[in-house]
Amino acid sequence: MSATVVESLPDEGNEVNELGVPQAAERDDQSWELMRVWVAERGLHCALKVGVYESEGIGEERAWGIVLADAARHLADAVSSFTGRDRDAALSAIRLSMEDELNKPTSRKEGAFRD
């Protein structure tokens, strides 16, 4: 993945506090959204587009692993830019936190997929 839109604080004029669409996605009429993540009602809520890669003969697990790793790198860049901390140290801390959360979740996952 290449450049990303990084917003550090909610947009005051945006009543639902959603992030803007990256400019590349606005320019590309073949772009699609893969994931949307919200904090609401004191929990994390996700909308995921699953099946896009499988229909192209690519395993969803592999594809989503790459997407999440790319997102972690973008996040490390954003954290480094926002806080001044070292990018590699930020990525290491993100990776450790992800491994800890995967191994010992701090909350239950609830809900189901819907169309």
Side-chain angles (χ1 to χ4, degrees):
M1 290 187 175
S2 58
T4 189
V5 172
V6 175
E7 296 183 24
S8 58
L9 299 172
D11 180 357
E12 296 284 331
N14 185 343
E15 290 185 29
V16 294
N17 294 323
E18 62 184 15
L19 298 173
V21 176
Q23 291 178 346
E26 289 178 341
R27 289 190 304 268
D28 184 351
D29 62 354
Q30 299 206 16
S31 66
W32 69 88
E33 186 172 40
L34 289 173
M35 177 171 48
R36 192 171 274 219
V37 181
W38 290 85
V39 175
E41 298 175 353
R42 301 186 57 153
L44 193 68
H45 302 269
C46 302
L48 306 169
K49 185 172 280 195
V50 177
V52 174
Y53 295 103
E54 200 75 31
S55 67
E56 297 294 321
I58 302 167
E60 290 292 315
E61 300 87 349
R62 170 126 175 88
W64 278 95
I66 292 169
V67 168
L68 294 172
D70 284 350
R73 285 191 291 272
H74 283 296
L75 181 55
D77 288 341
V79 167
S80 176
S81 180
F82 186 70
T83 66
R85 291 194 284 270
D86 179 72
R87 180 211 178 267
D88 291 336
L91 184 57
S92 292
I94 292 166
R95 181 189 319 245
L96 180 61
S97 180
M98 284 180 67
E99 289 172 357
D100 287 347
E101 184 65 20
L102 287 168
N103 292 328
K104 191 173 180 182
T106 56
S107 62
R108 293 187 342 219
K109 185 205 77 63
E110 297 179 11
F113 288 101
R114 65 179 193 167
D115 293 330

Short mmCIF file of all heavy atoms in Angstrom, two decimals, residues 7 10-20:
data_model
loop_
_atom_site.label_atom_id
_atom_site.label_comp_id
_atom_site.label_asym_id
_atom_site.label_seq_id
_atom_site.Cartn_x
_atom_site.Cartn_y
_atom_site.Cartn_z
N GLU A 7 -5.67 11.29 10.06
CA GLU A 7 -6.32 12.34 10.82
C GLU A 7 -6.16 12.01 12.28
O GLU A 7 -6.49 10.91 12.71
CB GLU A 7 -7.80 12.44 10.45
CG GLU A 7 -8.02 12.83 9.00
CD GLU A 7 -9.47 13.00 8.65
OE1 GLU A 7 -10.28 13.27 9.54
OE2 GLU A 7 -9.78 12.88 7.46
N PRO A 10 -10.92 13.97 15.65
CA PRO A 10 -12.18 14.03 14.90
C PRO A 10 -12.39 15.40 14.29
O PRO A 10 -12.02 16.42 14.88
CB PRO A 10 -13.25 13.73 15.96
CG PRO A 10 -12.53 13.03 17.06
CD PRO A 10 -11.12 13.58 17.04
N ASP A 11 -12.98 15.42 13.13
CA ASP A 11 -13.33 16.66 12.45
C ASP A 11 -14.51 17.29 13.17
O ASP A 11 -15.58 16.69 13.25
CB ASP A 11 -13.67 16.35 10.99
CG ASP A 11 -14.04 17.57 10.18
OD1 ASP A 11 -14.08 18.68 10.74
OD2 ASP A 11 -14.27 17.40 8.97
N GLU A 12 -14.33 18.48 13.70
CA GLU A 12 -15.37 19.15 14.49
C GLU A 12 -16.68 19.30 13.71
O GLU A 12 -17.75 19.22 14.27
CB GLU A 12 -14.88 20.52 14.95
CG GLU A 12 -13.70 20.47 15.89
CD GLU A 12 -14.07 20.06 17.30
OE1 GLU A 12 -15.20 20.32 17.72
OE2 GLU A 12 -13.21 19.47 17.98
N GLY A 13 -16.60 19.52 12.39
CA GLY A 13 -17.80 19.72 11.59
C GLY A 13 -18.45 18.43 11.13
O GLY A 13 -19.49 18.45 10.49
N ASN A 14 -17.86 17.31 11.43
CA ASN A 14 -18.36 16.02 10.98
C ASN A 14 -19.12 15.38 12.14
O ASN A 14 -18.52 14.88 13.08
CB ASN A 14 -17.18 15.16 10.54
CG ASN A 14 -17.60 13.84 9.94
OD1 ASN A 14 -18.72 13.39 10.12
ND2 ASN A 14 -16.68 13.23 9.24
N GLU A 15 -20.44 15.36 12.06
CA GLU A 15 -21.26 14.91 13.19
C GLU A 15 -21.04 13.44 13.56
O GLU A 15 -21.21 13.08 14.71
CB GLU A 15 -22.74 15.16 12.89
CG GLU A 15 -23.07 16.64 12.90
CD GLU A 15 -24.54 16.88 12.74
OE1 GLU A 15 -25.35 16.04 13.15
OE2 GLU A 15 -24.89 17.95 12.20
N VAL A 16 -20.68 12.59 12.61
CA VAL A 16 -20.48 11.18 12.95
C VAL A 16 -19.01 10.83 13.15
O VAL A 16 -18.68 9.68 13.36
CB VAL A 16 -21.11 10.24 11.89
CG1 VAL A 16 -22.61 10.36 11.88
CG2 VAL A 16 -20.52 10.49 10.52
N ASN A 17 -18.15 11.79 13.10
CA ASN A 17 -16.72 11.59 13.36
C ASN A 17 -16.08 10.55 12.45
O ASN A 17 -15.25 9.77 12.88
CB ASN A 17 -16.49 11.20 14.83
CG ASN A 17 -16.83 12.33 15.77
OD1 ASN A 17 -16.59 13.49 15.45
ND2 ASN A 17 -17.41 12.00 16.89
N GLU A 18 -16.47 10.52 11.18
CA GLU A 18 -15.82 9.58 10.28
C GLU A 18 -14.64 10.24 9.59
O GLU A 18 -14.61 11.47 9.42
CB GLU A 18 -16.81 9.00 9.26
CG GLU A 18 -17.42 10.01 8.35
CD GLU A 18 -18.47 9.39 7.44
OE1 GLU A 18 -18.92 8.27 7.68
OE2 GLU A 18 -18.85 10.06 6.48
N LEU A 19 -13.67 9.43 9.22
CA LEU A 19 -12.48 9.93 8.54
C LEU A 19 -12.79 10.20 7.08
O LEU A 19 -13.74 9.63 6.52
CB LEU A 19 -11.36 8.89 8.63
CG LEU A 19 -10.89 8.54 10.05
CD1 LEU A 19 -9.91 7.38 10.01
CD2 LEU A 19 -10.25 9.75 10.70
N GLY A 20 -11.96 11.03 6.47
CA GLY A 20 -12.13 11.31 5.06
C GLY A 20 -11.67 10.15 4.19
O GLY A 20 -10.92 9.28 4.63
#
